[in-house]
Amino acid sequence: MSQGDLSGLYVITDTTRFQREALVEAVSEAIHGGARIVQYRDKSEDTERRRDEAAALAELCRHHGRVFIVNDDVALATEVGADGVHLGREDAPLNDTRARFQAAGLDAIIGVSCYADRPRAERAAAEGADYLAFGAMFPSPTKPHAPGAPADVLGWAREHLGRPVCGIGGITATNVGDLMTYQPDMIAVISEVFAAPDIRAAAESLRWAMAGGRPDPI
C-alpha cells in the first residue's frame, strides 16, 4: 500500500460496541459499503484480544484490498502485518516510529493527527508523514471535548503540504458536503458508520454524500 491508496472513506473501529467476531463482521459491512481505509483503535489493556482482533482485521483488509492502519501501536502493527500506524499528539515521535518500521524491514504508512495545529502539520509533512488528519471538523460524540478545526485547514494543507489530507470528527452524511469543497482526500468516521443500525447502508450513504450525490467507484 502507498500514498496513492489513501483516498475515500476511512473508518475507525468502535471496540466499545463491537469486539472479536462482531467487530470483524461490522468492519466487513463497512468495507462492503465502500470503506477504503480501516483503522483499528482500541485503548484497552487486553493484549490478547487486541492481537486477535487486529490480526483478523488485517486479513480481512488484505482479502478486500483495503488499507489497514493500527492506532499508535507499532509492535502490534508489525506483528499482524498492518499497512501502517496512526499517531496522535501523545504517541511516539514520527521519526522514531519510522525507524522502528525500517528496522523491521517495512515501508509503512504513517498518519499523523494535526488537530487544527498548522505548525504541527508542517513539521509532520517535513518529517515524512504519509497523511495528515485534521479535526474535529464538527462536535464529535466520540471525543465531545475535542477542540474544533476550521474546514479551510483542509484546503490549506492540500495546497501547501503536498500530503494526503483527512478530515475527522463529527462528520455525517448530512454535513460532509461542507468539507468536500476543500477536497480532502479522506473522510474519517467512527459513530456515523458503527453506531448506525445498518452499517453497510451508512457507509454507502456517506460515500454517496462525499461524491456530491454521484456514484463513485469503490
Side-chain angles (χ1 to χ4, degrees):
M1 297 293 178
S2 67
Q3 281 191 6
D5 299 295
L6 297 173
S7 66
L9 178 58
Y10 183 148
V11 295
I12 302 172
T13 59
D14 183 347
T15 57
T16 64
R17 294 178 183 274
F18 303 103
Q19 295 182 356
R20 297 192 179 276
E21 291 83 2
L23 177 64
V24 176
E25 178 61 27
V27 172
S28 178
E29 286 296 292
I31 287 173
H32 282 96
R36 292 174 174 163
I37 304 123
V38 174
Q39 181 189 134
Y40 177 66
R41 183 179 185 273
D42 180 89
K43 296 295 187 179
S44 77
E45 300 297 323
D46 191 339
T47 303
E48 180 180 359
R49 177 178 59 79
R50 293 179 73 248
R51 183 177 59 247
D52 291 347
E53 289 175 347
L57 293 179
E59 177 59 30
L60 177 70
C61 289
R62 279 193 293 270
H63 177 74
H64 290 285
R66 300 300 193 254
V67 176
F68 181 58
I69 301 292
V70 170
N71 184 272
D72 176 33
D73 194 332
V74 176
L76 181 60
T78 302
E79 181 179 358
V80 303
D83 296 300
V85 295
H86 184 88
L87 303 176
R89 185 179 282 125
E90 307 302 324
D91 297 332
L94 191 154
N95 288 333
D96 293 351
T97 301
R98 181 76 70 193
R100 290 182 63 187
F101 278 115
Q102 290 175 341
L106 300 173
D107 182 19
I109 293 168
I110 301 177
V112 175
S113 289
C114 300
Y115 315 99
D117 188 338
R118 298 188 186 203
R120 175 179 171 84
E122 290 170 333
R123 289 193 300 273
E127 291 172 2
D130 292 291
Y131 70 87
L132 307 170
F134 296 89
M137 291 291 129
F138 305 98
S140 167
T142 303
K143 294 185 177 182
H145 304 296
D152 64 3
V153 74
L154 302 173
W156 168 82
R158 277 186 57 86
E159 181 178 354
H160 294 285
L161 300 183
R163 294 287 188 276
V165 171
C166 179
I168 186 171
I171 300 171
T172 69
T174 301
N175 64 29
V176 71
D178 296 341
L179 305 180
M180 299 313 295
T181 186
Y182 299 102
Q183 300 183 308
D185 299 277
M186 294 164 282
I187 291 295
V189 298
I190 303 175
S191 300
E192 177 70 358
V193 168
F194 290 117
D198 186 330
I199 290 171
R200 185 183 302 205
E204 289 173 343
S205 294
L206 187 51
R207 202 181 85 249
W208 183 272
M210 289 166 62
R214 299 181 301 275
D216 67 323
I218 296 177

